[in-house]
Amino acid sequence: MAEILFVMTGADHWTLADGTQHPTGFWAEEAVAPYRAFTGAGHTIVVATPGGVVPTVDRGSLAPEVNGGKEAADAIVAELSAMTELKKPIKLEDVELADYDAVFYPGGHGPMEDLAVNADSGRLLTAALDSGKPLGVVCHAPAALLATTRPDGTSPFAGYRLTGFTNAEETQAGFADKAKWLLQDRLVELGADFQEGAAWAPYVVVDRNLITGQNPASSAPLAAELLKALG
């Protein structure tokens, strides 16, 4: 069975353009749905965060209105509390890629705050991409790709087809005019071949060993693709 590394944000806020701190963290569904798929297939999960801090869930991601009702929201909360790996993460800076068979990055606005500028994460992403091991990144987590660079200054992800939370979705979520920068814009600037599906609908892009999902609804389909890649 495979050992899958979850790289998660350690941030509990996202600094907006006006300097205010919006409370956030990771988005529940984007951790829970893949965790459910991976452990259901018999695989082991290890969580890593910057500094080994226990990751904070975005409280907004636990609301009934984003989970299809109260019953589903209660189920997400229950599954989260049962994910013991979340309570004892390892330090991202201590991660050895050789110990893992695949790497997965859940989103939420948290990665916009810390992983987007985290050099340890950048090095891990570059190594994972080069290794050929399955690399899954969903929603706002592609912000972490902004911290990757080759010695010549280019991004290893330049030219890759990928997706992430779109400008349209950020606008509809009410944050586009408050953010310092928008994820889609930055990924395009990076040289990525950004693919955009319908807002809020499941949309997954696979290019070689890179598997990306556009939004929370894409996390379960992304997990299914990653499981296929693991064989």
Side-chain angles (χ1 to χ4, degrees), residues 105-140:
Y105 277 64
H109 276 116
M112 302 275 279
E113 184 74 20
D114 62 352
L115 297 180
V117 293
N118 186 292
D120 293 305
S121 171
R123 283 189 290 272
L124 176 65
L125 282 164
T126 301
L129 191 71
D130 292 345
S131 74
K133 294 178 179 181
L135 172 60
V137 194
V138 70
C139 199
H140 284 95

Side-chain angles (χ1 to χ4, degrees), residues 158-171:
Y160 273 77
R161 290 187 310 109
L162 54 78
T163 190
F165 205 65
T166 63
N167 290 355
E169 287 166 325
E170 204 71 87
T171 299

Side-chain angles (χ1 to χ4, degrees), residues 35 47 79-89:
Y35 181 92
V47 173
E79 284 188 85
L80 262 184
S81 64
M83 289 168 62
T84 54
E85 295 88 348
L86 288 175
K87 301 175 178 70
K88 49 177 194 308

Side-chain angles (χ1 to χ4, degrees), residues 38 97 100-105 124-138 145 150 156-157 159-162 204-213 222-223 225-230:
F38 299 153
L97 178 63
Y100 304 97
D101 301 289
V103 178
F104 172 66
Y105 277 64
L124 176 65
L125 282 164
T126 301
L129 191 71
D130 292 345
S131 74
K133 294 178 179 181
L135 172 60
V137 194
V138 70
L145 275 50
R150 295 283 192 207
F157 292 89
Y160 273 77
R161 290 187 310 109
L162 54 78
V204 175
V205 175
V206 181
D207 187 350
R208 288 156 277 186
N209 61 317
L210 178 65
I211 308 163
T212 51
L222 184 156
E225 288 291 343
L226 196 147
L227 284 173
K228 270 200 291 189
L230 274 174

Side-chain angles (χ1 to χ4, degrees), residues 140-159:
H140 284 95
L145 275 50
L146 304 178
T148 64
T149 184
R150 295 283 192 207
D152 65 1
T154 63
S155 170
F157 292 89

